[in-house]
Amino acid sequence: MAKIDFGGVIEDVVTSEEFTLEMAQEILKNETVAVLGYGVQGPAQALNMRDNGIHVIVGQRKEEQEFWDKAISDGFEPGKTLFPLEEAAEKGTIIQFLVSDAGQVEVWPKIKPFLKEGDALYFSHGFAITYRDQTGVNPAENVDVILVAPKGSGRSVRANFVAGSGINSSYAVFQDYTGKAKERTLAVGIAVGSGYLFPTTFEKEVYSDLVGERGVLMGCLAGVMEAQYNILRKQGHSPSEAFNETVEELTQSLIRLVAENGMDWMYYYCSTTAQRGALDWKSRFRDAVAPLFEELYESVASGKETKIVLESNSTPDYKEKLGKELAEIRDSEMWRAGAAVRALRPENRNKA
Ligand SMILES: NC(=O)c1ccc[n+]([C@@H]2O[C@H](COP(=O)([O-])OP(=O)(O)OC[C@H]3O[C@@H](n4cnc5c(N)ncnc54)[C@H](OP(=O)(O)O)[C@@H]3O)[C@@H](O)[C@H]2O)c1
């Protein structure tokens, strides 16, 4: 554990310097990690662990050919390292439950009978356990229940690992039957390629995650972008101008400075005109959205958000409806303007 000062608050974090990959390999040497679900997180975590010398098998339902075939193309062999979900759960000692959150509700009763005493049931989200009154995921007392939640898309979990970097993850133990739940959790956390690991609980993980994605990371981001684009268009600015001032400058320039060295760094490298205005307006925006964030947190904590997710994600036409909603965004003037702006980037101009 390393004690790190996060803005004046000391927290214990784990990196591969104190908890080395060799330690993780030693702890996991007699374990079979069964990754159930080969969607987004599944492949990333499975491939990173396999590259790190961990014994990994994949469980995926065969009827949906796409992900089964993807596992084969990634080198998993049917009957050897690739199995139907139930069979993989039976063979695994650490069972990574990485089917979609709504899918877990349907899959849980099928895999539950295959969990053996001393197995670890692993999640990358606190969803199923925290809202178990809604999901029905109630593990028996004789298994460990653990979590490593990468704070990024599975695509980045794999891409950063391949590039020699990592994605930070939180970790938690909900149930420690074997007395080894924490070391198993940290070992898997290191093996999946986490940048660093910070402690949480299942509840805190899911609350913060649901707030984050509905808020700044995705929902709020898209909403405030639209609001600004719309006012610029309403006042007679061209789509190109409105898009550049709303999205392109952010993604191509400013947010990269924030990532590099923080918000003050970005402010410092902007014009004095921009600095003054941004400093004055920052707190007005914060205060304007604060009540909405209160409402959002409450909606998450009360279980309202997960109820909506479970209802909508388990309808048979979910993917079709999602396609329509995403097409609506893609086909809007703002994001069509975005496609044109992206195509004009020098590196994209000569592409066929
Ligand atoms: N997406 C991310 O980057 C991300 C980031 C952090 C944490 N997480 C967490 O990681 C876990 C996995 O998420 P994900 O986004 O990787 O999932 P996903 O891509 O939505 O999951 C797809 C996988 O779930 C399977 N699945 C879905 N419904 C099923 C059902 N009814 N029966 C059997 N299999 C079913 C799919 O198989 P079929 O093709 O057979 O349907 C596929 O293998 C979740 O707990 C999520 O919250 C995800």
Side-chain angles (χ1 to χ4, degrees):
M1 291 273 178
K3 291 210 175 297
I4 304 287
D5 181 343
F6 290 94
V9 179
I10 308 296
E11 293 183 43
D12 287 323
V13 304
V14 177
T15 72
S16 57
E17 281 177 25
E18 312 88 58
F19 198 104
T20 61
L21 179 59
E22 291 68 33
M23 285 161 72
Q25 286 165 337
E26 178 61 28
I27 290 167
L28 298 176
K29 72 177 182 218
N30 295 321
E31 305 261 21
T32 297
V33 183
V35 176
L36 306 188
Y38 210 71
V40 182
Q41 274 298 320
Q45 296 194 28
L47 294 174
N48 290 1
M49 283 189 291
R50 193 177 67 182
D51 288 354
N52 273 334
I54 308 303
H55 182 228
V56 180
I57 61 171
V58 169
Q60 168 61 38
R61 64 175 167 181
K62 205 174 171 184
E63 305 80 61
E64 300 288 328
Q65 204 70 31
E66 183 190 346
F67 294 132
W68 178 267
D69 289 348
K70 182 171 160 35
I72 292 175
S73 70
D74 286 343
F76 291 99
E77 283 183 64
K80 283 190 179 164
T81 48
L82 173 61
F83 303 93
L85 291 163
E86 295 84 348
E87 216 177 319
E90 189 174 22
K91 289 186 187 313
T93 56
I94 296 179
I95 290 89
Q96 293 199 338
F97 208 8
L98 296 181
V99 302
S100 67
D101 295 307
Q104 289 180 14
V105 176
E106 198 187 316
V107 174
W108 172 245
K110 297 181 192 160
I111 63 149
K112 188 179 181 183
F114 295 102
L115 297 193
K116 305 165 295 298
E117 180 179 2
D119 280 356
L121 179 63
Y122 165 110
F123 295 87
S124 280
H125 203 4
F127 191 124
I129 292 291
T130 304
Y131 299 99
R132 54 196 178 285
D133 54 333
Q134 291 177 24
T135 63
V137 177
N138 268 309
E141 279 171 14
N142 65 357
V143 296
D144 293 344
V145 180
I146 63 178
L147 168 141
V148 172
K151 298 291 127 188
S153 160
R155 287 181 73 91
S156 332
V157 169
R158 181 61 181 162
N160 284 26
F161 177 85
V162 169
S165 177
I167 287 284
N168 302 330
S169 307
S170 56
Y171 73 91
V173 172
F174 179 75
Q175 190 166 287
D176 183 4
Y177 174 74
T178 62
K180 292 183 174 166
K182 188 169 172 188
E183 67 173 45
R184 286 171 120 180
T185 310
L186 294 177
V188 177
I190 293 296
V192 298
S194 303
Y196 76 84
L197 289 146
F198 59 97
T200 186
T201 62
F202 275 62
E203 186 179 279
K204 284 208 160 62
E205 192 285 330
V206 68
Y207 284 13
S208 56
D209 198 70
L210 295 183
V211 168
E213 64 207 8
R214 279 153 185 72
V216 170
L217 304 178
M218 292 172 69
C220 171
L221 175 73
V224 293
M225 281 177 167
E226 274 177 37
Q228 177 171 303
Y229 181 90
N230 289 346
I231 185 66
L232 290 172
R233 287 291 290 134
K234 197 171 137 195
Q235 295 297 336
H237 298 263
S238 67
S240 176
E241 186 162 67
F243 192 86
N244 268 286
E245 288 297 348
T246 304
V247 180
E248 195 71 352
E249 186 171 339
L250 179 73
T251 59
Q252 296 301 294
S253 165
L254 301 184
I255 206 70
R256 294 179 182 179
L257 295 177
V258 178
E260 211 177 294
N261 252 322
M263 193 65 82
D264 65 304
W265 177 263
M266 185 265 268
Y267 277 27
Y268 186 78
Y269 281 103
C270 289
S271 70
T272 49
T273 316
Q275 283 159 1
R276 185 66 266 136
L279 287 164
D280 291 345
W281 279 86
K282 176 177 88 63
S283 40
R284 294 195 58 188
F285 278 109
R286 182 196 59 211
D287 296 346
V289 296
L292 212 50
F293 276 101
E294 294 275 354
E295 189 182 327
L296 168 57
Y297 197 92
E298 175 49 34
S299 187
V300 167
S302 69
K304 191 173 156 195
E305 291 300 309
T306 41
K307 192 164 177 284
I308 295 170
V309 169
L310 290 173
E311 275 169 16
S312 82
N313 290 14
S314 51
T315 55
D317 59 348
Y318 173 70
K319 279 194 179 157
E320 200 182 308
K321 276 194 188 147
L322 172 74
K324 277 191 191 143
E325 283 182 279
L326 296 185
E328 216 170 281
I329 296 176
R330 191 169 55 245
D331 296 340
S332 67
E333 181 200 277
M334 176 177 168
W335 290 103
R336 278 188 293 131
V341 172
R342 288 194 297 279
L344 281 170
R345 288 181 197 154
E347 70 275 22
N348 292 341
R349 247 182 261 155
N350 297 325
K351 280 190 190 159

